[in-house]
Amino acid sequence: MKKDLTLLVLAAGMGSRYGGLKQLDPLGPSGETIMDYSVFDALRAGFNRVVFIIRKDFEEDFKRQIGARYADHVNVEYAFQSLDDLPGNFTVPEGRQKPWGTGHAVYAARKLLSTPFAVINADDFYGADSYRQLADYLANAPQTEKIRGCIAAFILSNTLSENGSVSRGICTSKDGKLAKVVENTKIFRRDGKVISEQEDGTEVIFSGNELVSMNSWGFMPEIVGEIEANFEEFLRRRGTEMKSEFYLPALVDTLITSGRAEIEMRTSRDSWFGVTYREDRPLVQAALQNLVDSGKYPKSLFA
């Protein structure tokens, strides 16, 4: 029996560095957004449901410009990420405006995640192979007492922007399983080197060949309870801070370190690209045009 597979798209980001709602930006030859390519690739790989995490303030525009495109192709649902969506008696610190992070975005969809699901960013192009890797794992995940999941990782040097720093989770593996993922929030190129500036201001130099998390994950639904419990613990420790974030890679790392999760390591054979900064836009447009010209995608998606 074919499994129901859900694609969870994190599309609530504020786009502060980009200067607008990049999730709605037409970048493809026929006005497609990056999300259009993501949904197209996911459907080809076997996913049959899409859940978008968005904000209430652009719900109408998003549904009209994005969601309506897929109405005849796949079941589409929505969840809403908001600062005040917190468990128990926790409240938003006065003056905080920054979202709680990618882990909280998945938390926002907790009531919709009863089947195996993949998690992706709305503004990242992952390529068809990533979705095949995720779908293959989710459809055939081994039975185990641990929290089950996988990651489709990318090579660090292929995920950098020439227009500023990026945040990446650096991965290490052992015996085909993810051993550790460490979030580096400010990675950039300087003088031909790949550098990560740490929170204390020190710098770490990477080779560029490291595998990184681009928030391309696959999970079985039992992780939802762990997300809820770990988010509560995060709020107890750091919930009064103005800019602390509950990162999904950090949650996965915690579960692995505690021995509670087993995350299979997959490496995508495709190249990643994205629009972290507005200056990235022409490069992404050219890359999408090349993929269409080479025959990997039709000229118009969901026509």
Side-chain angles (χ1 to χ4, degrees), residues 99-141:
W100 292 106
T102 51
H104 180 251
V106 180
Y107 173 85
R110 59 196 178 278
K111 296 180 181 179
L112 299 176
L113 300 177
S114 59
T115 64
F117 64 97
V119 180
I120 64 163
N121 293 333
D123 51 358
D124 289 333
F125 181 93
Y126 297 100
D129 188 56
S130 292
Y131 297 96
R132 288 192 293 265
Q133 297 273 9
L134 294 172
D136 177 69
Y137 174 85
L138 294 173
N140 302 288

Side-chain angles (χ1 to χ4, degrees), residues 10-32:
L10 308 187
M14 298 177 71
S16 58
R17 291 178 292 184
Y18 187 68
L21 292 176
K22 56 187 172 182
Q23 297 91 344
L24 306 183
D25 200 359
L27 297 168
S30 298
E32 294 87 358

Side-chain angles (χ1 to χ4, degrees), residues 72 100 128 180 257 301:
D72 297 330
W100 292 106
K180 192 169 185 60
T257 302
L301 303 180

Side-chain angles (χ1 to χ4, degrees), residues 19-300:
L21 292 176
K22 56 187 172 182
Q23 297 91 344
L24 306 183
D25 200 359
L27 297 168
S30 298
E32 294 87 358
T33 67
I34 285 182
M35 280 183 291
D36 290 332
Y37 290 93
S38 296
V39 173
F40 183 82
D41 283 334
L43 295 184
R44 287 198 293 184
F47 289 84
N48 57 5
R49 178 173 176 253
V50 179
V51 175
F52 290 106
I53 310 297
I54 61 174
R55 299 198 315 270
K56 270 289 186 181
D57 60 287
F58 62 77
E59 176 185 6
E60 184 177 338
D61 286 344
F62 191 96
K63 287 184 175 180
R64 183 181 67 254
Q65 296 182 43
I66 302 297
R69 303 185 189 194
Y70 317 129
D72 297 330
H73 302 277
V74 66
N75 177 28
V76 177
E77 298 182 57
Y78 300 89
F80 302 96
Q81 185 178 14
S82 62
L83 276 177
D84 58 0
D85 182 13
L86 302 174
N89 297 319
F90 291 103
T91 58
V92 181
E94 184 176 354
R96 176 166 180 138
Q97 296 182 344
K98 188 176 183 63
W100 292 106
T102 51
H104 180 251
V106 180
Y107 173 85
R110 59 196 178 278
K111 296 180 181 179
L112 299 176
L113 300 177
S114 59
T115 64
F117 64 97
V119 180
I120 64 163
N121 293 333
D123 51 358
D124 289 333
F125 181 93
Y126 297 100
D129 188 56
S130 292
Y131 297 96
R132 288 192 293 265
Q133 297 273 9
L134 294 172
D136 177 69
Y137 174 85
L138 294 173
N140 302 288
Q143 293 295 323
T144 173
E145 295 180 356
K146 294 186 177 183
I147 303 298
R148 295 168 292 166
C150 73
I151 180 174
F154 289 79
I155 297 171
L156 174 59
S157 62
N158 293 336
T159 71
L160 301 178
S161 171
E162 298 301 325
N163 299 300
S165 65
V166 296
S167 177
R168 300 288 181 259
I170 304 296
C171 302
T172 56
S173 63
K174 182 179 181 181
D175 299 328
K177 302 293 190 294
L178 182 63
K180 192 169 185 60
V181 54
V182 179
E183 194 72 23
N184 285 252
T185 59
K186 192 174 183 180
I187 300 180
F188 53 92
R189 280 195 179 97
R190 187 179 67 206
D191 299 330
K193 297 180 180 179
V194 178
I195 297 171
S196 173
E197 183 178 308
Q198 306 297 294
E199 290 186 3
D200 61 3
T202 60
E203 295 183 347
V204 174
I205 298 177
F206 290 123
S207 70
N209 295 319
E210 293 82 2
L211 292 177
V212 297
S213 159
M214 297 302 300
N215 267 343
S216 180
W217 301 93
F219 296 114
M220 304 306 285
E222 61 260 25
I223 198 174
V224 174
E226 297 292 336
I227 291 173
E228 293 176 304
N230 278 268
F231 184 46
E232 287 195 36
E233 176 59 26
F234 167 85
L235 291 172
R236 280 191 286 270
R237 291 185 293 106
R238 305 189 64 183
T240 59
E241 299 174 12
M242 290 296 103
K243 294 186 177 181
S244 58
E245 292 191 60
F246 181 52
Y247 292 115
L248 184 57
L251 164 69
V252 172
D253 185 65
T254 296
L255 294 175
I256 293 172
T257 302
S258 66
R260 302 178 68 183
E262 185 174 270
I263 307 299
E264 187 170 311
M265 195 78 171
R266 300 276 182 111
T267 303
S268 175
R269 292 187 290 268
D270 288 330
S271 295
W272 170 96
F273 54 82
V275 282
T276 304
Y277 300 91
R278 183 161 290 278
E279 292 80 4
D280 297 328
R281 194 175 188 273
L283 297 175
V284 171
Q285 288 178 304
L288 291 174
Q289 184 67 63
N290 288 337
L291 288 170
V292 171
D293 291 343
S294 66
K296 293 184 177 180
Y297 294 91
K299 184 176 181 180
S300 179

